[in-house]
Amino acid sequence: MRFLGAIAAALLVAGAVGAAEIPQADRRSGYSFMKPDTKTMQDDDTANPGMLWVLDGETLWNRKVGSAGKACADCHGNARNSMKGVAISYPAFDKATGRPIDLEQRINSCRTNHQQATPLPFESRELLALTALVARQSQGASIETGADPQLAPFIAKGRELYMQRQGQFNLACANCHDDNWDKRLAGAAITQGHPTGYPLYRLEWQSLGSLQRRLRACITGIRAQAYDYGAPELVELELYLMSRARGMPLEAPGVRP
Amino acid sequence: MWLAAALLTPPAPAGAQALQPYAVVGDAIPEPLTNARGDISRGRALVVERSSTCILCHSGPFPEQKFQGDLAPDLSGSGNRWSEGQLRLRLVDASRLNAATIMPSYYRVDGLTRVGALWRGKPILSAEQIEDIVAYLVTLRE
Ligand code: HEC
Ligand code: HEC
Ligand code: HEC
């Protein structure tokens, strides 16, 4: 498979960190590192704050906007049917730009091209709500991102970024999430960094947030220069992480401490 | 939480001026980076302060600190295991001792990639802070 070939090639050249990839059987969602009360909060729709965004998303889904005067529902019908299993393949290859785009960017491209409305800002309540609504329709389905062979070079780039030491602390993502995932960084459990729950509600944020927000936080945490929202590098990291999580169930909207 | 610790840290007081020169002898920096001796109690305060980042990874004899890391050896007994000069090099640039270490180099500005604008050109700790911490670590004799 070309996908695996690209990973193998990246393994040979990267070498920046001596990390071994986590074997399939040992992969664990961030969920499994949480305390029981936080797990319950995620599991129970009436307690999961992320469901408020999903509900907002339903309202927005049916609202006509832009100069085309169309709602998402006008083209896609009921999200529960049409959006089922969509999020498990994102980021996906976008023919128009010849690059991977994530779910937020996919939704914004419908805003721009099909609704003829202005794109929604990253981390805006509306964009998070629509993303949560779409992602929610894949809850429990296995992640498939990366199956498209056109994505291979971008996955390899994401992996390179993941393995690269950076910032004033000179740490790579892999130093924490591959090499030390069973340990604690002061009070925080270091997870394997699987992006299975996004967008998710973080108690620390008091809000839903995107995977890009989480990645920017880790990058700033090691005192490196965070990439801007929507930057190709962030999408490549998202893509690598999602392809690394292939076969794991999507949990969006997740909850994290 | 660890991120907040990093973000709330004021940029190192060292500023962007050149680093103090130092000489590595074997696995140590025998001479202090500053003329004044390090202060033991300031050193302890620095180590337990989350913004210094030590206890994100290390634990130690700090009963008042609820959250301590377990990515790195317990700091108890550091002064038995290492000389002052060895501790100084460990803090200044641990990667000289172990190229694969995850312990950041606290007094180094070169050879780093994509350092954020707030921190660029500055060491994580100042020469004075390094000396304070070294003075404290030397006293950790189990
Ligand atoms: C110094 C250690 C460290 C480094 C380096 C680091 N992270 Fe993290 N990361 C953490 C901690 C701690 C958390 C928070 C765990 C939690 O509470 O969800 C986290 C959370 C995450 C999550 C969320 C997982 C979830 O279940 O929601 C992802 C994804 C992630 N990191 C990816 C990355 C990427 C990509 C990089 C490199 C750009 C990186 N991290 C660098 C420590 C680190
Ligand atoms: C005028 C029709 C139209 C409207 C309105 C529209 N879309 Fe789309 N959407 C499409 C088409 C056509 C595609 C297929 C890709 C393309 O051509 O852009 C698509 C693709 C998508 C996909 C990717 C599906 C996949 O399988 O990868 C998502 C997600 C999506 N739309 C969400 C939305 C959301 C959310 C809204 C409202 C904010 C919306 N769309 C509004 C026509 C529309
Ligand atoms: C990101 C993780 C990390 C941070 C932050 C960190 N260290 Fe370390 N430290 C390590 C690791 C791992 C070792 C083990 C040896 C090695 O890998 O180089 C170590 C080793 C040490 C040792 C030698 C321990 C022994 O007895 O063998 C001392 C002393 C030390 N660190 C002090 C500090 C101090 C003081 C700070 C803060 C100013 C600090 N460290 C910050 C990871 C860290």
Side-chain angles (χ1 to χ4, degrees):
Chain A
M1 266 170 78
R2 263 172 79 184
F3 168 78
L4 290 176
I7 296 280
L11 263 173
L12 288 177
V13 285
V17 169
E21 258 161 43
I22 300 166
Q24 190 101 1
D26 295 342
R27 287 182 312 171
R28 283 169 56 189
S29 159
Y31 174 89
S32 71
F33 295 78
M34 301 199 303
K35 297 204 183 85
D37 53 337
T38 327
K39 285 185 178 168
T40 309
M41 194 186 274
Q42 172 168 319
D43 293 340
D44 177 359
D45 272 0
T46 63
N48 184 335
M51 288 309 291
L52 297 173
W53 276 260
V54 173
L55 284 177
D56 274 6
E58 271 168 16
T59 310
L60 294 167
W61 181 262
N62 294 306
R63 184 175 294 165
K64 295 186 190 301
V65 295
S67 45
K70 287 209 163 87
C72 316
D74 290 330
C75 297
H76 294 292
N78 187 335
R80 280 167 211 234
N81 307 322
S82 65
M83 292 294 133
K84 207 175 182 145
V86 166
I88 55 173
S89 301
Y90 275 78
F93 190 78
D94 175 49
K95 283 202 194 67
T97 53
R99 298 193 42 84
I101 55 169
D102 67 14
L103 199 53
E104 283 87 346
Q105 292 172 318
R106 170 74 263 176
I107 289 168
N108 260 336
S109 97
C110 277
R111 286 269 304 183
T112 319
N113 301 328
H114 299 308
Q115 295 183 307
Q116 283 157 42
T118 50
L120 297 165
F122 284 97
E123 301 310 292
S124 62
R125 176 129 192 146
E126 293 95 328
L127 187 54
L128 287 171
L130 284 166
T131 309
L133 172 70
V134 173
R136 160 80 181 179
Q137 310 314 318
S138 296
Q139 203 180 66
S142 296
I143 293 169
E144 286 175 5
T145 302
D148 179 348
Q150 289 170 283
L151 291 170
F154 301 99
I155 296 174
K157 275 196 204 164
R159 186 180 188 280
E160 221 172 278
L161 289 170
Y162 183 86
M163 294 296 170
Q164 192 194 2
R165 284 182 183 251
Q166 54 176 320
Q168 198 189 34
F169 289 177
N170 203 27
L171 290 172
C173 316
N175 285 134
C176 287
H177 295 294
D178 285 353
D179 301 345
N180 285 296
W181 57 261
D182 51 349
K183 307 249 174 62
R184 297 189 80 82
L185 194 65
I190 299 179
T191 70
Q192 298 177 348
H194 294 301
T196 47
Y198 289 82
L200 60 69
Y201 188 89
R202 252 189 106 76
L203 298 167
E204 188 192 324
W205 293 338
Q206 301 273 301
S207 171
L208 205 74
S210 69
L211 179 56
Q212 292 204 9
R213 177 170 179 184
R214 174 69 250 181
L215 301 186
R216 282 167 47 92
C218 278
I219 293 170
T220 312
I222 51 179
R223 300 187 186 173
Q225 190 64 40
Y227 299 101
D228 292 336
Y229 279 106
E233 290 87 351
L234 280 183
V235 180
E236 284 155 11
L237 267 176
E238 289 183 275
L239 173 63
Y240 169 65
L241 291 175
M242 282 291 279
S243 71
R244 181 171 164 271
R246 286 214 291 175
M248 298 178 76
L250 205 81
E251 302 162 26
V255 174
R256 292 291 180 274
Chain B
M1 280 167 85
W2 68 279
L3 167 74
L7 277 180
L8 295 176
T9 312
Q17 82 270 29
L19 300 183
Q20 299 295 327
Y22 59 83
V24 177
V25 180
D27 64 349
I29 301 175
E31 296 300 321
L33 302 173
T34 59
N35 295 325
R37 300 298 300 173
D39 181 290
I40 295 170
S41 63
R42 271 203 314 258
R44 187 184 190 281
L46 279 167
V47 169
V48 298
E49 203 175 285
R50 286 185 59 111
S51 60
S52 313
T53 69
C54 311
I55 61 169
L56 290 180
C57 293
H58 290 277
S59 53
F62 322 122
E64 76 278 22
Q65 288 296 333
K66 190 163 160 229
F67 296 118
Q68 306 185 20
D70 64 0
L71 291 171
D74 191 301
L75 291 175
S76 308
S78 296
N80 289 336
R81 291 191 291 277
W82 308 103
S83 71
E84 178 191 308
Q86 286 173 318
L87 289 167
R88 188 175 290 112
L89 177 55
R90 162 75 59 191
L91 281 176
V92 164
D93 190 358
S95 70
R96 285 218 197 198
L97 299 165
N98 169 11
T101 191
I102 55 167
M103 177 155 158
S105 300
Y106 282 87
Y107 198 66
R108 175 178 134 197
V109 293
D110 56 342
L112 302 173
T113 310
R114 301 195 65 261
V115 176
L118 265 178
W119 305 286
R120 214 167 289 154
K122 298 168 189 164
I124 304 172
L125 295 173
S126 68
E128 291 73 22
Q129 290 172 320
I130 301 270
E131 289 307 323
D132 290 344
I133 294 177
V134 168
Y136 168 63
L137 292 176
V138 167
T139 68
L140 291 182
R141 304 180 159 269
E142 250 147 354

